[in-house]
Amino acid sequence: MKLLLVVVIFAAVTYLAVRWMQDRGLGGEQMPRRPSRPKPPTRPVAPDDDESFLRDLDWQRRQQERRQHKNPPDQPDG
């Protein structure tokens, strides 16, 4: 039982020493750590969040309205 306790303490001390050396740059190759949280997206997620998309959509709508005003559909008499 005492031997198991000594082995566990030795393993913990060794682990902490290796970890400390890696953090300080004294060890061999440093292992990449997992990021703490995912990074937020750098671009709009949905089209209605994108200003350029909305601007283009408005421009297309205005162009269509101008075409309709230039060439109005024939009005039936009556």
Side-chain angles (χ1 to χ4, degrees):
M1 187 71 167
K2 289 182 183 181
L3 179 64
L4 182 61
L5 182 61
V6 170
V7 169
V8 169
I9 291 173
F10 178 75
V13 169
T14 303
Y15 172 78
L16 292 173
V18 169
R19 185 76 178 240
W20 177 78
M21 286 190 301
Q22 285 180 343
D23 286 344
R24 308 257 312 171
L26 302 174
E29 187 176 328
Q30 188 171 7
M31 298 295 289
R33 293 190 180 178
R34 289 186 295 177
S36 58
R37 65 175 86 140
K39 295 180 181 178
T42 57
R43 60 181 180 80
V45 177
D48 60 344
D49 295 338
D50 188 1
E51 291 180 22
S52 63
F53 174 79
L54 293 174
R55 186 174 35 250
D56 291 343
L57 196 62
D58 188 43
W59 181 81
Q60 290 174 2
R61 183 183 54 83
R62 288 181 184 185
Q63 291 295 323
Q64 188 176 20
E65 287 177 358
R66 287 180 187 151
R67 278 188 239 125
Q68 287 177 355
H69 286 297
K70 285 183 180 179
N71 300 324
D74 292 334
Q75 297 283 335
D77 293 330

